[in-house]
Amino acid sequence: HYMEHSDTARELIRALRGPRSQVAFSRRLGYRSNVVYTWESGRRWPTASEMLRAAARVGIDVHAVIGGFFRRAPTWLQTVDPTTPAGVAALLAELRGRTPIVEVAGQMAQSRYTISRWCSGQTEPRLPDFLRLVEVLSLRLLDLLAALVPIDQLPSAHRAWRDLESQRRLAYEHPWTQAILRVLELEQYHRGCDEAWMAGRLGVGLAQFQEDLAALKSAGVIRREHGRWVAAQVVVDTRPSAEQNRALKAHWARVGVERIERGDDGLFAYNVFSCSRADYERLRALQLATFRELRAIVAASQPEEVVVVTNAQVFALAGD
């Protein structure tokens, strides 16, 4: 919400350059002209692969960065160099999943033709467009930037990172705040409903609801406008802390168990079966693709009428 991607692109190149002069860094990257000056001044932009090659040239393990970004390294990373145009295309395809090109184009304010060519590898986005595309497709641009360079070297991203870290702590310590933010999106709430109604829409006690509402207010995530609560930012990715993210998953799984036990289990189905290890990996990949498609549906859904939790698990009982 706060970043100007062209500013961030300039700062990223400057951070990768480090103490070297622009001329020295240009030569280190294999250019005869002072191309780094044109990048940092915004006169022209490197492609995404040029930026990643620059990162690799100064000692950053780009394979490890991309693998860590996905939590589970995609299979293409074993055979495709992420610092090449083919690697960038594979990265974007992985992020897009099944999200329709038209939806991505709408969020990017670009033509479907341009987005299609970027995602297929026919052409390559310049760095500011690449940064914005990563944000649109994953909502995790800040995590990628922080994996490449110290985030305090990117002034345009620093405030957004600070807010993101604060909101992650809030989600970890008060899991119900995520659901409360969704209630604030409901059309019926905007027509005039009190806190008891809001708590009832979530099936949570009023005292718990008020405690977490106060936490949201204290963190500056919500504010009062015209007698209603309004969210300043409503999307936060909680995956960077593996331990805390497991705790959140366990929380929502317990909520699901409670709803099943009281007979309000929504759409719940399970199947226990045996399969090959190769097909087990295919099922895991299918789950990830389904999640991305689900997210695209939710992003376009109007009007907001119910708050929903999805809990899809695929795991081997042996634990491997």
Side-chain angles (χ1 to χ4, degrees), residues 39-311:
W39 292 350
E40 292 185 18
S41 65
R43 294 189 176 187
R44 61 164 295 222
W45 299 109
T47 63
S49 63
E50 284 177 317
M51 180 275 291
L52 292 172
R53 282 198 300 274
R57 194 72 180 84
V58 298
I60 295 171
D61 188 340
V62 177
H63 278 82
V65 167
I66 300 301
F69 180 73
F70 283 107
R71 306 289 182 263
R72 185 181 180 89
T75 55
W76 61 262
L77 198 55
Q78 300 173 13
T79 56
V80 181
D81 183 350
T83 68
T84 64
V88 170
L91 168 62
L92 295 178
E94 183 77 22
L95 290 176
R96 185 173 76 86
R98 297 181 180 179
T99 305
I101 289 290
V102 64
E103 293 187 16
V104 181
Q107 294 183 64
M108 288 286 296
Q110 292 278 0
S111 72
R112 288 176 289 177
Y113 176 75
T114 297
I115 299 298
S116 178
R117 287 172 63 83
W118 285 346
C119 291
S120 66
Q122 296 179 61
T123 58
E124 195 177 349
R126 298 291 171 176
L127 184 53
D129 290 320
F130 172 74
L131 298 180
R132 189 177 178 196
L133 195 52
V134 170
E135 178 62 18
V136 165
L137 294 175
S138 71
L139 304 179
R140 297 186 54 227
L141 172 60
L142 287 169
D143 289 324
L144 180 62
L145 293 172
L148 287 168
V149 299
I151 203 71
D152 60 4
Q153 294 183 17
L154 307 176
S156 65
H158 191 264
R159 180 184 176 188
W161 177 259
R162 180 196 64 197
D163 289 351
L164 176 61
E165 290 288 270
S166 174
Q167 291 160 18
R168 279 174 173 160
R169 287 193 298 271
L170 182 66
Y172 295 146
E173 296 169 6
H174 299 271
W176 279 105
T177 56
Q178 295 177 297
I180 292 174
L181 289 172
R182 304 287 81 77
V183 170
L184 300 184
E185 298 171 348
L186 299 181
E187 281 200 348
Q188 193 170 351
Y189 170 69
H190 292 283
R191 291 198 294 266
C193 296
D194 59 17
E195 292 179 2
W197 176 89
M198 297 167 72
R201 295 294 289 181
L202 299 178
V204 66
L206 182 58
Q208 176 74 65
F209 179 89
Q210 291 175 331
E211 176 185 339
D212 289 329
L213 189 70
L216 284 167
K217 178 183 177 183
S218 178
V221 178
I222 61 173
R223 63 185 185 278
R224 295 287 281 186
E225 286 187 4
H226 308 297
R228 291 284 174 267
W229 291 110
V230 177
Q233 184 170 334
V234 297
V235 177
V236 58
D237 189 287
T238 58
R239 288 172 290 181
S241 171
E243 181 180 355
Q244 296 279 22
N245 194 40
R246 281 194 295 271
L248 276 176
K249 291 177 181 178
H251 165 81
W252 291 112
R254 285 193 296 270
V255 171
V257 169
E258 292 169 1
R259 301 301 163 91
I260 291 171
E261 290 177 341
R262 75 185 192 188
D264 180 20
D265 58 351
L267 175 61
F268 178 86
Y270 74 95
N271 196 354
V272 180
F273 52 85
S274 60
C275 67
S276 69
R277 287 191 176 275
D279 284 335
Y280 172 50
E281 293 304 320
R282 289 178 62 194
L283 291 170
R284 290 172 62 95
L286 177 62
Q287 182 190 20
L288 291 173
T290 301
F291 174 77
R292 294 192 186 102
E293 186 173 356
L294 181 149
R295 190 175 67 186
I297 292 172
V298 171
S301 180
Q302 293 289 338
E304 289 94 346
E305 296 172 321
V306 293
V307 179
V308 181
V309 176
T310 62
N311 179 16

